[in-house]
Amino acid sequence: MRETYHTRQQDDLRHILEQAPGTHYTASQLQELLIKEGHPIGLATIYRQLDRMVSDGIVHKYSLETNDSACYEFIGEGTACVD
């Protein structure tokens, strides 16, 4: 089991995602929202935190068939999501 710790960036990102469950965001859209709320975070950090949240099972990643960016959706803890 991986040691769990929270960074300010992870908490800020999670806060944005929790505000609109069921909404799909790209990493760039999340970065724009974080900047608007006064929490500038680099895109690489956002991707790293999203990957961690996907691994933890609280965010689902949707990969589209086109070359568009992947979308992410907050699903909460203990929620199983099947593609």
Side-chain angles (χ1 to χ4, degrees):
M1 185 172 168
R2 183 173 49 161
E3 184 178 330
T4 304
Y5 68 95
H6 296 280
T7 64
R8 180 187 56 81
Q9 291 91 355
Q10 184 179 9
D11 291 341
D12 293 343
L13 181 58
R14 183 176 175 142
H15 175 75
I16 292 288
L17 290 165
E18 286 177 330
Q19 288 182 19
T23 303
H24 301 94
Y25 295 104
T26 64
S28 295
Q29 289 170 326
L30 290 166
Q31 184 182 39
E32 290 175 21
L33 291 170
L34 286 161
I35 290 169
K36 286 180 183 177
E37 287 200 0
H39 306 289
I41 299 175
L43 202 52
T45 300
I46 291 173
Y47 278 113
R48 188 170 44 253
Q49 294 300 332
L50 287 169
D51 285 344
R52 176 172 283 151
M53 292 178 178
V54 168
S55 294
D56 290 346
I58 61 173
V59 170
H60 186 74
K61 179 179 179 179
Y62 296 90
S63 297
L64 304 175
E65 292 180 17
T66 64
N67 290 335
D68 294 336
S69 298
C71 292
Y72 299 86
E73 173 191 12
F74 180 77
I75 56 175
E77 297 185 41
T79 306
C81 188
V82 179
D83 284 335

